Amino acid sequence: MNFGIYVEMQNPEQNNKPHAQVYQEIMEQIEHADKRGFSTFNTLEHHWFEEFSISANPMALYAAAAQRTKDIRFRTCSHVLPLHNPMVFAGQVAVTDILTEGRFEFAVGRGHAWVFPKASIPLEESRERFIESLEILEKALEEKEFSYQGKHFNVQNVKVVPRPTKKPRIFTGGASNHNYELAGKKGWGVLITPMLPLEHVMGQLDIYRKSCKEHGNTPDIVYVQAMYLDDDGERARKEAEPYILQFMKGNVSPMSDLPSKEELVNKDFGFYASGALESLAEIPYHKLLNDEYVWVGSPDEVKEKVTKVIEKCPDLSEIALLCSYAGIEHWKTIRTQDLFSQQIMPAFQKEKEKVLVP
């Protein structure tokens, strides 16, 4: 079992951290995770909404972090393709692959409904732009020269340079069943977001497995889980409460910038009109713990939760820890990384080694 690190880089106004400080702390957390044996560092691409995320250029972050690390891989969860010119984006992917020495992989997505008005992109164009951008990106990474004719992009004899050392590993995820069908068809991995317990996405994982089977591909599932660790479980649960609640609040904070529910439904963003996302911020802290939206406690308590998830999801290839919340002190994130890597990871890695021994 592989274990990674995931951060959203939330920075609410009351946090009062300069943006440069947030980035410096994240860089130190990546270096620390590399030394502690974590397999991946994951973040997202997001713009304009500080309480949600200030991760506007993850590929620049990876290129910088790669110069200070040896083994850890870098993964974006995910790049919002409709915001990009796909021919330009393909070249940026190639540069990131080169500068990270092949340690870069990424997920692709249509993006949250709230980003498009800020980007001056009509909501109703987002799915078309996503589909065309994805088709162009795949051509750019696989073919030395290509042409493409679509509604939004029409290019002839494009040669994207530089060339990547190899085609990066690709993922998708999100709330759409279509994404899980697409991932199974194309042989991509899927990412389970850190807002929901595993039971809430089992139906979509079944869709993914079925699609993988139909197209001869092997499931590859990464489960992102928010957690907070302390040697003392009760102290952990007490300390974690403000950070966990702000994390949930930050994830729904951009909803106030959305158009009417009727417009969202008519323009293919029905999920954002359903009220499902806002309801997450209203869940009481004790329910977040009891229903395992978040894992908070001692290493022994969390080790049991890891075991249960692995048993319930046999196609799981990685669990990524979200342990850096808006406003949390830097040293507390480092503590969770330390406790997890020293007291939880070795047990599962030893089990894997025993299985591999003839």
Side-chain angles (χ1 to χ4, degrees):
M1 178 57 58
N2 292 316
F3 296 96
I5 296 294
Y6 176 88
V7 301
E8 285 194 345
M9 297 183 71
Q10 295 181 348
N11 196 48
E13 187 174 331
Q14 66 270 24
N15 190 22
N16 201 31
K17 278 188 182 181
H19 294 170
Q21 180 183 345
V22 175
Y23 271 86
Q24 182 57 44
E25 290 178 355
I26 293 298
M27 287 288 285
E28 292 176 10
Q29 290 165 22
I30 296 172
E31 288 185 84
H32 184 264
D34 182 53
K35 294 174 182 177
R36 292 295 181 266
F38 287 95
S39 298
T40 62
F41 170 79
N42 304 258
T43 191
L44 69 165
E45 177 195 3
H46 200 272
H47 306 268
W48 303 299
F49 295 91
E50 183 172 6
E51 190 171 0
F52 188 99
S53 172
I54 62 170
S55 182
N57 192 346
M59 289 191 285
L61 175 64
Y62 304 154
Q67 313 312 307
R68 297 161 61 169
T69 55
K70 295 181 179 180
D71 300 310
I72 199 165
R73 299 181 60 78
F74 305 97
R75 182 191 298 133
T76 312
C77 318
S78 59
H79 285 291
V80 185
L81 290 190
L83 298 184
H84 298 278
N85 178 309
M87 289 77 71
V88 174
F89 180 71
Q92 294 168 340
V93 166
V95 170
T96 308
D97 171 73
I98 291 169
L99 293 179
T100 61
E101 298 181 320
R103 288 188 275 155
F104 174 52
E105 52 198 51
F106 60 90
V108 294
R110 182 166 59 133
H112 294 293
W114 52 70
V115 303
F116 297 106
K118 301 286 188 186
S120 192
I121 295 174
L123 283 174
E124 60 271 21
E125 291 184 7
S126 62
R127 188 172 294 280
E128 293 175 344
R129 287 179 177 272
F130 170 72
I131 292 171
E132 289 191 16
S133 295
L134 179 58
E135 291 173 350
I136 291 171
L137 179 60
E138 290 188 300
K139 283 180 174 290
L141 294 176
E142 294 171 358
E143 303 174 17
K144 291 185 178 180
E145 187 174 286
F146 69 94
S147 299
Y148 185 87
Q149 290 186 331
K151 180 178 178 180
H152 301 282
F153 302 100
N154 189 346
V155 296
Q156 299 294 321
N157 305 320
V158 174
K159 184 178 182 181
V160 173
V161 292
R163 304 299 302 167
T165 60
K166 63 181 183 306
K167 182 179 178 180
R169 185 180 175 203
I170 298 178
F171 292 79
T172 192
S176 171
N177 290 346
H178 169 76
N179 287 355
Y180 291 86
E181 293 176 359
L182 182 66
K185 177 180 179 180
K186 290 185 173 290
W188 297 346
V190 293
L191 291 152
I192 308 303
T193 61
M195 296 286 287
L196 297 173
L198 183 63
E199 287 77 7
H200 290 222
V201 295
M202 291 299 283
Q204 291 175 320
L205 291 180
D206 287 340
I207 292 171
Y208 173 58
R209 293 187 183 97
K210 181 180 178 181
S211 183
C212 282
K213 186 176 181 180
E214 289 175 354
H215 296 93
N217 295 314
T218 302
D220 181 7
I221 300 169
V222 174
Y223 182 60
V224 182
Q225 177 62 53
M227 68 178 67
Y228 186 97
L229 291 174
D230 187 275
D231 286 316
D232 185 303
E234 287 304 316
R235 184 169 59 214
R237 284 180 278 278
K238 182 178 180 180
E239 288 182 354
E241 182 172 1
Y243 308 126
I244 299 294
L245 293 178
Q246 178 55 50
F247 163 67
M248 303 298 283
K249 179 176 177 288
N251 272 279
V252 305
S253 58
M255 291 293 291
S256 60
D257 277 58
L258 287 175
S260 68
K261 291 185 177 181
E262 182 180 5
E263 183 178 351
L264 288 168
V265 171
N266 291 338
K267 295 182 176 179
D268 196 22
F269 278 98
F271 171 75
Y272 293 87
S274 68
L277 193 56
E278 300 100 301
S279 67
L280 294 174
E282 299 173 358
I283 300 174
Y285 180 59
H286 67 87
K287 184 173 177 61
L288 292 174
L289 297 181
N290 294 339
D291 293 355
E292 300 193 350
Y293 285 83
V294 295
W295 294 349
V296 178
S298 68
D300 285 341
E301 290 169 331
V302 170
K303 188 186 299 183
E304 292 179 5
K305 300 180 188 299
V306 173
T307 301
K308 291 178 183 177
V309 164
I310 293 173
E311 291 173 349
K312 291 179 181 178
C313 191
D315 302 310
L316 199 63
S317 57
E318 179 184 322
I319 296 175
L321 289 61
L322 193 161
C323 52
S324 182
Y325 305 99
I328 194 171
E329 294 94 328
H330 176 51
W331 69 269
K332 290 181 178 177
T333 295
I334 295 296
R335 179 181 64 188
T336 292
Q337 287 188 6
D338 274 337
L339 290 173
F340 194 94
S341 63
Q342 294 168 4
Q343 299 188 39
I344 298 176
M345 278 170 54
F348 297 97
Q349 291 169 339
K350 288 177 181 178
E351 288 176 7
K352 183 177 180 181
E353 290 170 3
K354 290 177 183 177
V355 171
L356 295 176
V357 175

